[in-house]
Amino acid sequence: MRDRLLLLVALTLLAVPAAAFSQPAASTSVPPPPIGIGFGPLSIIPASVGTPVFAPGDSLWVQSNDSSSVLFLSLRAPNGTSTPNYYLEPGGLISLHTFGSGDQAGGWTISTTIATTGETGNATVTLAKPTLALVPAFANATLSDNSLSLGYTVPSTAAYNIQACTMGSGATDRTDYQLPGDIGGTLEVSVSGNTVSVNTPPALSQFSVWVELYALRTYDEGSAMVSASTLAAQTQVLSAGSGQESQNASLTDELHLRVGRYDMRTFVRGPSGLTSYDTQLVHTSQASWVSLEGCTQLSAVTGGSFSMVSNMDGGNSTWPRFLYTMYDDGGVGNFTISKVPVSEARVDVRSAAQGRRLVGTTMTASGTGISSWDSFDSGIYIVGTKFPLNVTVRIDFEGVTSEEFSALIASPFASVPLLVQVGTLDVLTTTGGRPAANATLDVTAGPLLDPNQPVYKTGEAGTFIYNLPPGDYTVSASGSGRTASATGLVVSGGATNLSIEVGTQPPPYLLYLTAVVLVVAVGLNVVFWRSYLERKDVFNRLPPS
């Protein structure tokens, strides 16, 4: 890399102001000039390929494709003002101009004259200064099946190549990568300003790591805008693997680092060869980068509306708070950050005595300021429009009884505990002292009973467990042609056993005695008929009298 930079410096020194030199007279024809144009020394393309689109802060690089003659150069702004003339040695490379915020947007003309022939040429580059700030309009928010869906619409603009990302409070410049098995562990890469921090674990073997950043640069081909992924910056190679290490590497800029999207490619070379990892970053300011690995969803936007879906069980730091919108406008990338106009919260419902999640319950929520809610994972997830938020939670216990509770959510993105007094009523149905499966159960007495409670049946072991608030409950059980009932007291955090006999069964010795009697009766019957038949046979053989 050092040798390449020295070469670039040497080539640049070949381009010096040519104001003291007289230029040969220009010819009347203006063919494409023998130059290449680029955003940096490594992005030079022939001027005939297309018109590069520059932005303020970008440097305009020009390289001579003439191997035998000096070129005279000048740069003219859209308003007709020109820069001082320069001359460029054969094959020379020059940073001709760095565009500033005060430069006029539009087409800039590079004029060239070949010193030996007087042949002239023109090439055009574009300075774009787009002002569009694309902010999708929020439409709705819906909670369902453990997920939050945010609906947006996109206004009709000139923006294209649009991506959207929802981000929680944990926006970070850090990206984690799982290293190959022969190295082991996790590699942490962070970008801040022009510094890349690499944190490596104790490894199984030595390895090397480096980072490259790529950005899209646009060329206007007349009929279409064409974007090319271009190396924007890179680090030196770091050696790692001797233990837990944190190393910093400086980014060497190959292009001006605009704000907007970048592809970060992290390369690891170990015993098994070269492994690469790709991650998308957003350069939000001169010193700030955000890894899009932290997006709860990253999606391409192709129509006039889109939805962003986020899983809610990752903790409140991952709940969406911001919408990042990345897009291109006039050949230049840009981004906006808008706040999600609704806020999420959670009422975490648990047993007061044991702190466990409730089972066998159904929950609903109501309250002013709730735009959407859903119940799952023993809790109520809420999308609110204003806080503090008073929530009324109604809990239905097994369809048998229900209670209402109040919870105050003081601030958005909070998880508020709601401790509920609940215990279990463990019912066992028996027949002759043995478990009776498929017995029908009905709670006939208890606090605030639901008249439309569902019918439950005991399992193969003759058991069923009710989760109920404290109180006296009477359970009726039917089975084996008999109905019986029993009453039990449910206490908070306790398990109350309730046994109900739904039928009688003869003791085992009676069954054995019955079997013996049947066997004896069958035996006697056989003996009788055998004796009878033998006597009849003897009688039939007697001579008639």
Side-chain angles (χ1 to χ4, degrees), residues 109-140:
T109 303
I110 304 171
S111 297
T112 64
T113 303
I114 300 175
T116 55
T117 65
E119 184 178 350
T120 62
N122 289 332
T124 301
V125 300
T126 299
L127 175 61
K129 301 170 71 175
T131 58
L132 172 65
L134 178 63
V135 180
F138 176 76
N140 54 64

Side-chain angles (χ1 to χ4, degrees), residues 1-67:
M1 182 184 294
R2 179 175 177 274
D3 292 338
R4 184 176 67 186
L5 292 175
L6 290 174
L7 175 61
L8 294 178
V9 171
L11 291 173
T12 303
L13 291 175
L14 294 176
V16 297
F21 296 87
S22 60
Q23 299 186 37
S27 64
T28 56
S29 63
V30 187
I35 58 172
I37 303 172
F39 301 91
L42 303 182
S43 65
I44 302 296
I45 66 167
S48 58
V49 170
T51 301
V53 180
F54 289 81
D58 288 347
S59 293
L60 168 61
W61 286 76
V62 177
Q63 185 173 31
S64 172
N65 294 334
D66 193 311
S67 60

Side-chain angles (χ1 to χ4, degrees), residues 426-430 433-436 458 461-464 497-501:
D426 302 358
V427 179
L428 170 65
T429 56
T430 60
R434 294 186 172 187
T458 56
T463 59
F464 184 84
N497 296 316
L498 200 63
S499 181
I500 305 174
E501 178 73 26

